[in-house]
Amino acid sequence: FAAIVAQIAVTFGFTKPASTYAKLSEDAKVKLNMLAMRADVAYDETKIEHVDALSALFKASFEHPAKLPRDLKSEIWKNMGWQGVSPATD
């Protein structure tokens, strides 16, 4: 998950000087900080909230999403930018 947050930060320009961060609304700063804290949590396939979040990401990433692979292993993850066939191991 940390890689996703890093990519989000780059995409939205949060890696620029602190002045960019200062331009965010207080609500946006809170949400960004909460996201950053969650990024430090390793994926755990035994936690339903982790599986649900990954499933939601999968479904939101494709116009006509295939069913989430049962064991999470699929080449389709690479289309999202994951390095391997399972985001659980990236």
Side-chain angles (χ1 to χ4, degrees):
F1 290 129
I4 292 173
V5 173
Q7 184 60 46
I8 291 169
V10 169
T11 301
F12 290 107
F14 297 140
T15 58
K16 294 179 182 174
S19 61
T20 301
Y21 182 80
K23 293 177 185 177
L24 295 174
S25 69
E26 288 304 312
D27 186 51
K29 288 177 185 178
V30 168
K31 289 178 180 177
L32 181 61
N33 288 334
M34 289 173 58
L35 182 60
M37 286 188 298
R38 289 182 66 194
D40 287 335
V41 177
Y43 178 77
D44 182 346
E45 64 187 21
T46 65
K47 293 187 177 183
I48 192 68
E49 61 270 20
H50 289 199
V51 175
D52 287 348
L54 197 54
S55 177
L57 176 65
F58 185 87
K59 289 176 183 174
S61 297
F62 300 101
E63 187 175 338
H64 301 289
K67 186 175 179 182
L68 184 67
R70 189 170 151 99
D71 64 357
L72 295 180
K73 293 180 181 169
S74 172
E75 289 290 323
I76 200 164
W77 290 110
K78 292 182 181 181
N79 295 342
M80 292 175 59
W82 297 93
Q83 295 176 11
V85 296
S86 174
T89 58
D90 265 12

